[in-house]
Amino acid sequence: MFPTAFIYSSHNRSEDIHRWWIVERALKDAHNKSILYLPMSMGSQDSQEYSWGTFRWYFSFYEKWGLEPRNFFWNDHMSKADVDLLFNWLETSQVVILGGGSSTLGLQRYEALGERYYGDRNLFERILHGRQDKGLLTVGFSAGADQLCTYMMGAVEAGQRDIHGFGLAHNVMATLHHEWGREGSLQYAASRFPQCVVFGLPNDSGLAIDQGFLESGNIWQVIEFVVDTSWDIANEQFHIKTRMGMNIDHYYQDGRKWTFHNGDRMVRVMSQDNHYHGVWIITRDGQIFDYWNQNHSLYPSIEAILASH
């Protein structure tokens, strides 16, 4: 699994997610070991600096192996040279992380950068998709995870008109910091957006996603489910729902439920007009199920599924 998008929810810098799925991805490259963190979904300069600090201390442990952490803050008075540097980093950094805060505010700022300085409101989004095409990893944490989906669950829950995200996780939606009692949001989104798969991501869990186009023109997507129970500071246990037994909840549009565990995978094949939607579930012990009828599938592998579509 070599994901190009990773969306996740966490309380702190849990080891499995942050080391093995994020930092080690940057360290794999012999020459480019850069991670760019963007806290622009946080409102004030102080809150952006705080957000960066919650990651900076963790990244500092890996600088002796060559990790190059970068950050960039939003302000209303950036020069064209500043934004040129930001977009260069956005395009070339081995890993980019869109940080937490307000999904809508951050999205507006990312779009405003392209519109204000280049006359192109969609420039930020196109660069992210260009990263995906080149096999680079873009990570969304909390609000950033919302922004990488096709539709932002936070905007849907708030009843906002503009709910579109960047779509690096095509036809995926997720609640972040999910916990018991929020099942209604998943059920509502699943029924309203039948072309999407909808997940509840508790702290600490995530979706590792890769996707692209088949020769047929269909969109393929592989999702690996990550449930991290490695953060063990006693006074923070309440916030880490995976250590309290939560996994990743998913609801079908008809109200059925499936719970995903660490190492489970989902394979999807979608037509570009959303008329066809084939889905298969591969459990961590290798069993393959047809998603729709929940029976064992005749396909022996992911490769066989994709080759037949």
Side-chain angles (χ1 to χ4, degrees):
M1 182 67 180
F2 202 71
T4 53
F6 186 78
I7 65 176
Y8 78 104
S9 177
S10 74
H11 171 66
N12 210 318
R13 305 289 74 82
S14 53
E15 184 73 359
D16 288 348
I17 285 175
H18 293 88
R19 179 173 181 181
W20 298 111
W21 288 95
I22 299 176
V23 169
E24 289 295 335
R25 179 63 173 269
L27 293 178
K28 282 182 180 296
D29 192 273
H31 306 289
N32 180 4
K33 301 179 185 295
S34 54
I35 289 184
L36 172 63
Y37 182 76
L38 298 179
M40 294 186 180
S41 295
M42 303 295 286
S44 67
Q45 179 78 15
D46 287 346
S47 61
Q48 290 183 73
E49 291 177 359
Y50 172 80
S51 180
W52 167 234
T54 66
F55 281 79
R56 181 69 181 89
W57 69 268
Y58 186 83
F59 292 155
S60 67
F61 293 133
Y62 298 94
E63 289 181 351
K64 59 186 175 184
W65 288 289
L67 187 70
E68 182 185 351
R70 302 166 168 173
N71 70 286
F72 213 101
F73 299 144
W74 166 274
N75 68 70
D76 292 318
H77 309 291
M78 286 185 281
S79 69
K80 178 63 162 48
D82 291 335
V83 183
D84 286 344
L85 175 61
L86 168 59
F87 275 85
N88 177 261
W89 281 358
L90 183 68
E91 187 171 0
T92 61
S93 293
Q94 193 66 221
V95 176
V96 169
I97 304 175
L98 308 186
S102 165
S103 305
T104 302
L105 174 64
L107 194 80
Q108 290 171 345
R109 286 175 169 177
Y110 296 139
E111 291 178 339
L113 287 168
E115 185 172 36
R116 183 182 303 176
Y117 294 91
Y118 305 95
D120 184 352
R121 184 176 182 82
N122 298 316
L123 180 58
F124 191 96
E125 179 176 353
R126 284 209 310 279
I127 291 175
L128 293 187
H129 281 275
R131 291 177 53 80
Q132 188 165 61
D133 292 341
K134 291 185 290 186
L136 297 174
L137 177 63
T138 304
V139 178
F141 162 66
S142 192
D146 218 10
Q147 292 156 354
L148 292 186
C149 294
T150 290
Y151 301 112
M152 300 188 296
M153 182 73 85
V156 171
E157 291 177 322
Q160 295 172 351
R161 178 173 297 178
D162 187 1
I163 60 174
H164 288 83
F166 292 129
L168 271 70
H170 180 69
N171 282 355
V172 172
M173 299 176 68
T175 59
L176 289 308
H177 313 290
H178 183 67
E179 55 187 329
W180 293 282
R182 294 190 65 195
E183 295 82 2
S185 290
L186 300 180
Q187 293 169 321
Y188 170 74
S191 63
R192 180 177 169 185
F193 303 96
Q195 74 275 30
C196 293
V197 285
V198 183
F199 304 102
L201 297 181
N203 296 340
D204 299 329
S205 70
L207 310 175
I209 299 168
D210 198 11
Q211 63 187 38
F213 291 93
L214 299 169
E215 290 186 5
S216 63
N218 288 329
I219 299 167
W220 66 268
Q221 184 181 79
V222 178
I223 302 173
E224 182 166 340
F225 298 88
V226 179
V227 178
D228 182 355
T229 59
S230 62
W231 191 257
D232 60 359
I233 294 179
N235 63 2
E236 297 186 10
Q237 294 301 302
F238 172 79
H239 301 283
I240 306 168
K241 302 306 180 184
T242 56
R243 288 183 66 90
M244 299 171 69
M246 282 201 82
N247 285 282
I248 296 174
D249 286 340
H250 165 71
Y251 281 90
Y252 289 69
Q253 63 192 73
D254 62 10
R256 288 178 294 164
K257 180 182 179 181
W258 190 288
T259 300
F260 290 94
H261 301 84
N262 187 57
D264 290 345
R265 285 174 290 172
M266 174 182 281
V267 180
R268 304 170 73 198
V269 178
M270 297 159 277
S271 61
Q272 295 186 51
D273 61 8
N274 291 322
H275 285 163
Y276 176 74
H277 188 189
V279 191
W280 295 264
I281 296 169
I282 304 176
T283 62
R284 53 188 170 180
D285 61 3
Q287 296 184 79
I288 302 179
F289 294 89
D290 182 278
Y291 169 87
W292 297 109
N293 61 33
Q294 298 185 352
N295 294 327
H296 280 90
S297 172
L298 297 177
Y299 286 111
S301 66
I302 293 176
E303 292 78 11
I305 293 170
L306 299 183
S308 69
H309 291 84

